[in-house]
Amino acid sequence: MPDPSPLAPTLRDLLPLLLLSFSAGSLTQLTRLLARPGPPRLRPTLALAAAAGIAALTVTALTRAALPHPDPALLLALACVTGWSGPGILACLGGLVERRLGLRDPAAPTGRPQD
């Protein structure tokens, strides 16, 4: 259980960091999608950019929870790498967490779900 000391950051304190990581992940994915040849379709492009932002926010929050005082440059780099990888990284991360908690059979397939 986390330490409820007064030095523990509140959500209000973390909000700028989380917004920055969401923006970095979304912008990175959006850049990747717009760099593809041909005109992008608006709705799938925006959905993938938003999902990548959520993935980047999640990775940043998990890293911030795991490391007491991570370097902000590390958090920004993780957000950008996650944004480039896209939302599929959450499926891999979720599978890893489920296996660690004993919620999933180790032989069960992991990775990106098929559309």
Side-chain angles (χ1 to χ4, degrees):
M1 191 155 119
D3 180 24
S5 69
L7 297 176
T10 64
L11 184 58
R12 183 177 297 159
D13 297 334
L14 293 175
L15 192 59
L17 172 69
L18 297 177
L19 287 174
L20 179 66
S21 64
F22 178 84
S23 299
S26 294
L27 185 61
T28 304
Q29 181 65 215
L30 187 60
T31 303
R32 180 176 183 234
L33 294 170
L34 292 177
R36 291 181 178 171
R41 291 179 35 219
L42 181 64
R43 191 169 167 192
T45 300
L46 292 178
L48 284 172
I54 293 168
L57 185 145
T58 303
V59 168
T60 300
L62 288 172
T63 303
R64 180 66 178 83
L67 302 174
H69 300 288
D71 188 351
L74 171 68
L75 295 175
L76 182 60
L78 286 173
C80 289
V81 168
T82 304
W84 185 266
S85 301
I89 197 168
L90 284 181
C92 297
L93 185 61
L96 176 68
V97 170
E98 287 176 351
R99 278 194 309 277
R100 291 279 188 176
L101 294 175
L103 301 174
R104 177 184 281 192
D105 180 21
T110 59
R112 189 175 236 166
Q114 297 299 320
D115 293 343

